[in-house]
Amino acid sequence: MTAAPVTSSAVTFALDYYLLCPADAPVAPLGLLVEEFVLADDLSATRLRTAGWTRADGGWWSSAAFAHAVRADPDVRARLRAVGRADAEEAYLRSGGGALPDEDVLRCHFRDDVPLATVAPLRLGDGPPVWRVLFAGELDDGRLAALRTALRLDAGTGHGLAGTGRLRVDGTMFRWDLRRVGGGVAWCLDVTAEPAHRDALRPLLRRLTDVVRRHGLVPATIERFA
């Protein structure tokens, strides 16, 4: 499938980087996976863009099927290690790729996008809007404890809630809840802001998503609930 161009009005996150590792030696990367979510004006995700590079292929490829597999298949997901831009640059250089292109150039390799469902916001109640970042993957007790610390969560109250974090910035109160969903097969981060403001929410959503990503879960989509 040929990707539609991202228009100037589209909102995007910074790129996510993952090392692609062989199944039998997960610490020795074979290449890179680069991803980006395209967001609507209300910050719900409309598209997932993905591209990969491996030594064996000798070039960049884009595959919606692989992006789906990362989120559906634990064996595929186990071969990824979330990293930042600096670690991706080092791995790319050591793997024989040379200098990693800048992000505008990397975006040119996004050719087979994953369309994400766009529907009217669901209504959860009378409270403020909720932005739900849905993640694929599992957390063992050690990773969950580390993630709770990294997200600065207080104790959960059961019913799938692992904990709640809060932050006040310039008169805006942010809250985020980490919880299990989908009958215990996935995780999500529910984020609210009072008052809600896109320019304030977008960087916080990005930072929180990256923290969770670094602890082994893979972001799948972002939904907005009214």
Side-chain angles (χ1 to χ4, degrees):
M1 177 180 66
T2 301
V6 176
T7 65
S8 59
S9 62
V11 180
T12 60
F13 273 172
L15 300 185
D16 288 336
Y17 297 90
Y18 300 88
L19 301 186
L20 289 171
C21 303
D24 57 347
V27 297
L30 297 175
L32 293 177
L33 182 70
V34 182
E35 295 191 332
E36 173 185 63
F37 285 97
V38 178
L39 309 182
D41 287 341
D42 67 357
L43 299 184
S44 60
T46 62
R47 211 181 328 161
L48 171 62
R49 318 189 79 206
T50 182
W53 178 91
T54 57
R55 289 195 306 264
D57 294 308
W60 288 89
W61 44 266
S62 185
S63 171
F66 187 79
H68 280 297
V70 165
R71 288 152 178 87
D73 189 333
D75 292 334
V76 175
R77 193 163 50 246
R79 298 178 61 187
L80 300 187
R81 183 157 64 89
V83 296
R85 168 81 189 191
D87 288 334
E89 289 175 334
E90 182 179 356
Y92 188 71
L93 179 63
R94 291 188 175 185
S95 298
L100 185 65
D102 64 30
E103 296 200 336
D104 285 340
V105 175
L106 288 175
R107 286 184 173 94
C108 295
H109 299 298
F110 295 146
R111 297 183 299 273
D112 192 12
D113 294 357
V114 178
L116 300 174
T118 55
V119 296
L122 299 177
R123 182 164 297 279
L124 294 181
D126 297 329
V130 177
W131 282 263
R132 171 167 289 182
V133 188
L134 187 65
F135 296 87
E138 291 293 333
L139 293 170
D140 59 24
D141 290 343
R143 281 190 172 183
L144 176 57
L147 179 56
R148 292 183 71 247
T149 298
L151 290 173
R152 300 181 180 181
L153 303 182
D154 61 17
T157 58
H159 305 290
L161 180 64
T164 298
R166 295 176 177 85
L167 178 68
R168 180 179 290 277
V169 179
D170 296 332
T172 299
M173 175 59 73
F174 298 99
R175 169 178 170 149
W176 50 95
D177 298 325
L178 178 68
R179 65 178 75 242
R180 294 193 69 113
V181 292
V185 300
W187 291 85
C188 75
L189 201 63
D190 287 343
V191 183
T192 61
E194 295 187 82
H197 192 282
R198 189 181 96 160
D199 290 343
L201 269 164
R202 182 173 179 267
L204 180 66
L205 281 171
R206 170 61 187 168
R207 288 196 295 270
L208 293 174
T209 299
D210 196 55
V211 169
V212 178
R213 191 178 70 89
R214 299 293 191 100
H215 285 77
L217 300 180
V218 178
T221 192
I222 303 172
E223 301 172 322
R224 180 179 178 271
F225 299 92

